[in-house]
Amino acid sequence: SRLGNTIEKIYPGLLHDLSDKLKLNVTGIIGTDQLKQSRWHFDPTTSKLTRLSDDFDLNGYRAYPIEKYLGLPVVEVQLDDHIYRLIIDTCSTLNYLKERLSSGSIESTKEDYHPMLGSFTTHGRRYRLSAFNQKGRVLMYDLPTAMEMALGDEIQGILGCEFMTQHEWVMDLNKNTWWIR
């Protein structure tokens, strides 16, 4: 695909590295530039993300405004008693919080991978999470220092698939709206 060819020029071997890590053939990446061109629906029963037309029936869904930071979707969440702004990252398997903001005892240690950082070890702590009028208990892992610096002071972490895949949702990044059923 054209997108795959562009990525290979910027980061030679990225698709191969991702294929190796994920144990499946990755031929391209759908980035935010592509995601914002359409509405997308996630079904937690099938774990499928599907492109929608604008006339998709949103009855039964509740709309939530989202912000953007560097073109990425951002949501305000509550972790225990603190409010943080997190990037919604549908490609991240883990949730992340800047380490200096973390509290509580470490409950999990995981190996993760980021194309620009390679493999790294991170530690998770349990929090009560409230976002999009949904509540749950999640592990928030320490964000690597290099990623902390890239996020700056505006963003405190990443809301990844662990929480998002538990819910049925529709995103429309062009209209800055996230619908949850």
Side-chain angles (χ1 to χ4, degrees), residues 110-124:
K110 292 221 179 192
E111 284 292 316
D112 203 1
Y113 173 81
H114 186 278
M116 305 309 261
L117 302 176
S119 294
F120 59 91
T121 302
T122 185
H123 306 287

Side-chain angles (χ1 to χ4, degrees), residues 91-144:
C91 289
S92 179
T93 55
L94 302 177
N95 302 306
Y96 285 97
L97 185 65
K98 290 181 176 179
E99 189 172 2
R100 64 182 165 78
L101 302 173
S102 296
S103 62
S105 59
I106 294 171
E107 289 191 26
S108 175
T109 300
K110 292 221 179 192
E111 284 292 316
D112 203 1
Y113 173 81
H114 186 278
M116 305 309 261
L117 302 176
S119 294
F120 59 91
T121 302
T122 185
H123 306 287
R125 295 165 178 83
R126 189 144 320 265
Y127 291 86
R128 291 181 321 277
L129 172 72
S130 178
F132 300 113
N133 210 30
Q134 305 290 320
K135 297 183 185 328
R137 302 230 354 120
V138 297
L139 286 169
M140 297 296 294
Y141 288 84
D142 296 336
L143 191 66

Side-chain angles (χ1 to χ4, degrees), residues 18-30:
L18 287 173
S19 295
D20 188 50
K21 289 285 178 192
L22 296 172
K23 309 269 188 277
L24 51 95
N25 186 26
V26 177
T27 58
I29 297 173
I30 299 175

